[in-house]
Amino acid sequence: MRTADVVIIGGGIHGCSTALHLALRGLKPILVEKDYAGRHASGVNAGGVRQLARDLAEIPLSIASMDLWERIEELVGDDCGFESHGTVLVAENDEELAGFKARVDDLRLKGFTHEELIDRAELKRLVPAVADHCPGGVVSRRDGAADPFITTQAFRRRAIEKGAEVLEGVAVTGLSKVGANWRVETSAGPIEAPQVVNAAGAWADRIAAMLGEPVPLTVVAPMLMVTSRVEPFIQPVVILRGRKLSFKQRDNGTVVIGGGHLATVDRDRNETVLDWNKLAISARTVWELFPVMRAATIVRAWAGIEAYMPDGIPVVGPSSTSEGVFHQFGFSTHGFQLGPGTGAMMAELVATGSTNTPIDGLKIERFLKA
Amino acid sequence: MNASDLAPSYDLVVIGGGPAGLAAAALAARAGLSTVLFDENPGVGGQIYRAITSSPVKDRAILGEDYWAGAELAAEATASGALIVNGATVWSLDPARLVGVSIAGQARLIQAGRVIIATGSLERPFPIPGWTLPGVMSAGGAQTALKAQGLVPSGRTVLAGGGPLLWLLAAQILRAGGKLDVILDTTPRRNWLRALAHLPDFMLSPYFSKGLKLLREVKAQVRVIRTDRIEAVGDDKLREVVFDVGDEERRMPADLLLLHQGVVPNVNLAMAAGVTHAWNARQLCFEPVLDEWFTSSVPGIAVAGDGAGIAGGTAAVERGRIAAIAAVRALRPEASVPDAQVIRQKLQREEIGRPFLDWLNRPADALRQPEGETIVCRCEEVTAKQVRDTADLGCEGPNQMKSFLRCGMGPCQGRLCGLTVTELIAAQRGMTPADVGYYRLRPPVKPITLAELASLPIAEAERKAVER
């Protein structure tokens, strides 16, 4: 019988980050992953490292994460392709810009200064290629982008170096309390540990259900496409609010186009089917916003499988029913940037029983009716 | 023909206008299915009958009677009532049989009742040192230039590799007045050991006498040298070809090196559609798993021709017909179709020599699994050493390799490196290629421009949502 201090279910960036931070605290975690680390959303997302435009409840985690991103090489021994040129939320008309201003003002009152309103001139300076009709926007200057698969693998590798065990191709089939321990049944035999972290992404509701905590998780697969190399013309990541778009040029010249249009998904078969009608909407948006892109060639499109919660923010914190179990899932298509910081916070919570990072708005109780 | 002239749906969409596609479209259309055939070339014929309706090579002896047999197939398809669209690039096919196609810069999504994928074969990668130099090209590329433009190599030309098509191309080049300085035959001699047992079957095959004649014709005119190692050497372009004869290294100045070591199924579209594939250990390639009607694991999608496993052009015709009969039976059971049993007998005769040809022409390990600084992925310039080292570090599969090295992520979408990467990982980690698997392929299987994608008609529901 295998034993550990903590069993982590799920080898995405969150599971791997939590494994690393637990190992750094001297605990022995075993991470169980049904495919391989970074197989789904964590390995194939758009790679945006973004504090901009986040829900108030997750801003503290996002800021804690950003501090780790800025010293990512020291943390995991790989630069993870992280580059920091800011994220710009582009307003397409004055009405949108007025809304953005209200949001930035409100954040300032609450003490958050990472979002900054910019006018037309500053927008043109940051994003010269943007179409002329855009009157301004919001920038978060410390934001950036990284290579998602390499990042997830780097966390996995460093976690192992620091003493974590990672079992890939192993699925969790059951969870039960045996004395003071949790017994985690897997396709490679049982593992016992006093504590368990549920970081199972698009499959996390099944783990929660084993604990009597059914959550309304939706399985989604946001589509992305990438172009062949084009001349460098844009540095920051660009996102829109009115229409679905995220847009970034990597330093190798390729442009990743995303924004949240969804593929159809079958999580039991690890399968996604792309919806070209919706990708065409993204193509038309780029066509209008960045005329320079019209002749660019799309070489690949894909979608990663992940979890979406009804309120669009994750479930982070202790289980409501089962002492020793913690949830870390449901990042609702924006969990990549949160990985480093949430793993650090979760390790603190698991190891010490509390954390200084405010996560009150993210608890699972919000979905459980009395 | 514009994309906007297409109907929103067809009973049968055939993808690829080679022998399998032409035969399938003709049979289905004649049986009353609304049939469209998309072919990305300017004219039908595929690779074997390339430019069959337009070739400037009018002397029939040059390309041979087998080539001109393609004209009849093309005429049959045209007369059948099938809509044949050339210059049509199919870039997506999903399990619900929605076909993404572009014609002259305009894209459309077409719903198919059934799909027959007839996208044929590709030349197997031939990754030797220097194979990316200007002046080194695939023999298939040379054959295309001959058929479509009547061009033959001039200057000092070396043809290297193995397989039946190598000898066919040599003969065609010579008949057209081209010159070959030497043929470097890389077929391992010990292949005969495995092949010999299948010789009696091969002697029954139509390829037996044709093959012997071809070999005699070529060997009478060109020096043939056996070798196990070839390098292309030059700085900005090919200067010389270096090869071993026994223990001795020879250097030969050359302007053109043509490489060929057989063909493998072109799996990109079928894989992207979700069709299950398996490793063929004899042909050393992945091929779709199909039933006796060439139907795949995805309902309503069949794969015919060399895409179903290499068997040659005449077998492709019969395979196309069988797949088309299945489509007709599914959609129009009352229609009369030819007797499938008779077609199967013909197919069997065409395929009987295959085990012999496969074993005899099996390329040497060293020419499929390069080492050191030899480029594996041309698009992203990834070397064999990088792939081998990354496999040693723990990278278990081609998809993870993609993420680490970007191999297979360029515009060719893995066509030129997929098998090499799979075989290198297998060799390095002591696994079988079947266990290593292949790149997970994603549409678009052919690059499309942003403008083309933006040209998809706006769905009614979406228009309303925008105007709101």
Side-chain angles (χ1 to χ4, degrees):
Chain A
M1 161 90 68
R2 275 198 173 94
T3 59
D5 292 325
V6 187
V7 172
I8 299 161
I9 304 168
I13 187 166
H14 281 272
C16 291
S17 171
T18 297
L20 169 59
H21 285 101
L22 283 168
L24 288 173
R25 285 176 173 270
L27 296 177
K28 183 190 185 299
I30 294 182
L31 186 153
V32 183
E33 160 58 46
K34 73 180 182 64
D35 295 304
Y36 58 81
R39 164 70 175 84
H40 297 288
S42 291
V44 300
N45 65 73
V49 177
R50 166 174 69 82
Q51 302 178 89
L52 185 71
R54 285 191 175 272
D55 190 283
L56 214 50
E58 59 185 20
I59 287 179
L61 270 179
S62 181
I63 291 173
S65 242
M66 208 65 224
D67 294 341
L68 294 181
W69 275 107
E70 287 175 343
R71 52 182 196 84
I72 197 79
E73 185 155 9
E74 186 189 321
L75 182 65
V76 298
D78 190 312
D79 68 12
C80 299
F82 177 62
E83 41 192 74
S84 170
H85 300 293
T87 303
V88 177
L89 170 63
V90 175
E92 290 200 79
N93 53 53
D94 290 330
E95 191 189 336
E96 248 183 26
L97 189 61
F100 294 172
K101 181 175 186 311
R103 146 100 180 175
V104 171
D105 289 346
D106 183 52
L107 283 182
R108 302 231 156 208
L109 284 177
K110 296 186 163 79
F112 298 120
T113 56
H114 58 284
E115 293 195 11
E116 191 184 313
L117 198 74
I118 54 172
D119 60 11
R120 190 185 298 270
E122 178 66 357
L123 176 63
K124 267 287 179 190
R125 193 185 72 80
L126 291 171
V127 192
V130 78
D132 291 332
H133 69 269
C134 302
V138 183
V139 65
S140 172
R141 296 188 193 268
R142 287 167 72 195
D143 291 9
D147 189 306
F149 187 77
I150 286 175
T151 303
T152 305
Q153 286 288 317
F155 272 94
R156 168 191 175 277
R157 204 166 47 236
R158 182 50 66 91
I160 292 170
E161 283 165 19
K162 294 296 174 186
E165 197 176 335
V166 175
L167 307 178
E168 294 176 302
V170 175
V172 170
T173 53
L175 206 53
S176 58
K177 191 90 191 200
V178 178
N181 277 344
W182 285 97
R183 182 182 166 97
V184 182
E185 305 288 346
T186 80
S187 53
I191 310 171
E192 277 193 14
Q195 292 180 300
V196 173
V197 175
N198 172 19
W203 296 265
D205 57 330
R206 291 178 176 168
I207 305 296
M210 292 176 193
L211 303 165
E213 296 177 289
V215 285
L217 174 157
T218 314
V219 180
V220 298
M223 296 185 291
L224 294 164
M225 47 189 174
V226 64
T227 70
S228 55
R229 296 187 164 99
V230 292
E231 281 296 303
F233 71 97
I234 187 169
Q235 289 206 310
V237 181
V238 168
I239 59 175
L240 294 186
R241 171 58 54 80
R243 297 190 278 181
K244 291 179 176 173
L245 182 73
S246 84
F247 185 87
K248 80 169 75 47
Q249 184 170 34
R250 301 308 309 271
D251 58 2
N252 64 17
T254 61
V255 176
V256 178
I257 300 167
H261 288 293
L262 300 178
T264 56
V265 55
D266 179 346
R267 65 170 159 173
D268 293 317
R269 304 180 59 191
N270 284 349
E271 211 175 77
T272 59
V273 177
L274 303 179
D275 182 340
W276 286 98
N277 278 314
K278 289 188 195 144
L279 284 171
I281 301 173
S282 299
R284 282 192 285 275
T285 307
V286 174
W287 164 280
E288 286 167 26
L289 224 54
F290 296 103
V292 55
M293 286 294 296
R294 289 179 184 181
T297 297
I298 292 157
V299 296
R300 202 165 50 258
W302 70 94
I305 303 175
E306 55 184 302
Y308 202 93
M309 303 311 295
D311 52 7
I313 54 174
V315 176
V316 177
S319 157
S320 66
T321 58
S322 310
E323 203 184 335
V325 180
F326 300 83
H327 294 299
Q328 184 180 355
F329 68 84
F331 287 85
S332 306
T333 76
H334 53 260
F336 181 59
Q337 188 268 350
L338 294 173
T342 309
M345 181 284 300
M346 184 56 68
E348 182 190 16
L349 185 60
V350 169
T352 71
S354 68
T355 171
N356 290 326
T357 311
I359 51 166
D360 289 346
L362 304 177
K363 293 195 168 144
I364 196 166
E365 281 85 347
R366 69 187 196 272
F367 295 117
L368 304 174
K369 298 198 179 72
Chain B
M1 179 82 206
N2 293 313
S4 49
D5 300 331
L6 292 170
S9 68
Y10 292 86
D11 290 338
L12 176 65
V13 172
V14 179
I15 301 158
L22 288 171
L27 191 151
R30 222 178 294 126
L33 297 193
S34 66
T35 302
V36 63
L37 185 158
F38 293 128
D39 184 72
E40 66 179 337
N41 293 302
V44 295
Q47 179 61 19
I48 181 166
Y49 306 131
R50 181 174 291 278
I52 190 69
T53 55
S54 63
S55 180
V57 183
K58 294 301 172 208
D59 177 354
R60 293 173 73 101
I62 291 178
L63 296 172
E65 283 311 312
D66 284 351
Y67 171 79
W68 292 104
E72 199 177 313
L73 266 183
E76 235 175 83
T78 309
S80 71
L83 174 61
I84 296 174
V85 190
N86 281 104
T89 300
V90 171
W91 43 267
S92 174
L93 169 64
D94 73 19
R97 299 180 304 282
L98 197 58
V99 180
V101 61
S102 278
I103 302 164
Q106 283 251 316
R108 282 292 181 280
L109 292 170
I110 305 294
Q111 181 64 55
R114 306 275 291 199
V115 171
I116 296 176
I117 299 175
T119 50
S121 61
L122 296 169
E123 288 182 282
R124 180 189 294 281
F126 202 150
I128 57 165
W131 70 309
T132 56
L133 282 173
V136 183
M137 69 188 283
S138 74
Q143 196 184 37
T144 298
L146 172 58
K147 287 173 178 170
Q149 283 110 35
L151 296 174
V152 289
S154 55
R156 297 160 301 180
T157 303
V158 177
L159 177 63
L165 294 175
L166 183 92
W167 301 101
L168 176 62
L169 174 67
Q172 289 173 339
I173 289 175
L174 295 169
R175 291 175 203 153
K179 188 170 75 77
L180 293 172
D181 292 75
V182 70
I183 293 175
L184 299 177
D185 180 359
T186 60
T187 316
R189 283 209 180 88
R190 64 175 180 286
N191 280 3
W192 275 100
L193 296 176
R194 294 296 288 272
L196 214 52
H198 303 280
L199 183 59
D201 276 347
F202 181 62
M203 291 171 78
L204 301 173
S205 145
Y207 288 105
F208 176 65
S209 63
K210 284 183 200 170
L212 279 181
K213 238 173 84 185
L214 212 55
L215 276 176
R216 252 185 252 124
E217 177 186 348
V218 172
K219 287 184 173 175
Q221 300 174 71
V222 187
R223 191 156 55 110
V224 178
I225 302 175
R226 259 272 326 141
T227 184
D228 292 320
R229 184 181 74 93
I230 305 176
E231 269 184 52
V233 176
D235 28 35
D236 53 335
K237 63 171 195 161
L238 177 72
R239 304 276 173 205
E240 53 182 5
V241 178
V242 179
F243 55 95
D244 289 344
V245 178
D247 292 333
E248 186 194 335
E249 183 179 279
R250 301 244 185 114
R251 311 182 82 87
M252 175 177 271
D255 302 305
L256 182 63
L257 170 60
L258 301 176
L259 294 173
H260 176 87
Q261 55 177 351
V263 294
V264 295
N266 178 2
V267 294
N268 283 49
L269 186 65
M271 278 197 181
V275 167
T276 303
H277 283 66
W279 177 253
N280 180 328
R282 193 177 84 210
Q283 297 192 339
L284 299 169
C285 57
F286 287 96
E287 62 185 23
V289 176
L290 304 169
D291 69 11
E292 57 170 347
W293 297 97
F294 295 93
T295 306
S296 75
S297 60
V298 179
I301 297 182
V303 187
D306 268 359
I310 302 303
T314 40
V317 171
E318 311 306 340
R319 289 169 165 194
R321 286 180 180 143
I322 293 170
I325 289 173
V328 174
R329 289 207 174 138
L331 298 177
R332 239 181 139 250
E334 73 281 10
S336 74
V337 289
D339 184 351
Q341 219 30 57
V342 175
I343 298 175
R344 284 185 198 286
Q345 279 162 11
K346 275 197 220 165
L347 178 59
Q348 202 185 4
R349 192 171 157 267
E350 295 296 342
E351 288 179 339
I352 193 168
R354 199 44 55 178
F356 175 82
L357 287 173
D358 291 343
W359 287 118
L360 181 67
N361 295 301
R362 192 178 162 94
D365 289 355
L367 297 178
R368 306 191 321 271
Q369 298 163 16
E371 307 210 352
E373 298 307 310
T374 301
I375 297 282
V376 168
C377 165
R378 303 173 64 121
C379 301
E380 300 288 332
E381 298 187 344
V382 179
T383 66
K385 182 174 187 320
Q386 285 175 288
V387 174
R388 286 180 185 270
D389 287 352
T390 307
D392 286 344
L393 284 176
C395 181
E396 291 184 334
N399 296 300
Q400 296 94 309
M401 195 65 78
K402 238 165 49 172
S403 302
F404 281 116
L405 297 178
R406 293 192 52 81
C407 54
M409 293 181 86
C412 94
Q413 292 158 328
R415 287 173 177 82
L416 295 170
C417 68
L419 285 173
T420 313
V421 167
T422 292
E423 287 210 59
L424 285 181
I425 296 172
Q428 214 64 19
R429 298 187 63 84
M431 301 165 72
T432 64
D435 289 335
V436 170
Y438 197 71
Y439 289 135
R440 202 157 40 239
L441 294 173
R442 290 297 211 162
V445 297
K446 290 280 167 89
I448 54 169
T449 64
L450 189 93
E452 274 176 292
L453 182 50
S455 77
L456 275 184
I458 299 174
E460 198 51 34
E462 183 204 329
R463 193 194 310 278
K464 281 184 187 140
V466 170
E467 284 167 359
R468 155 180 63 87

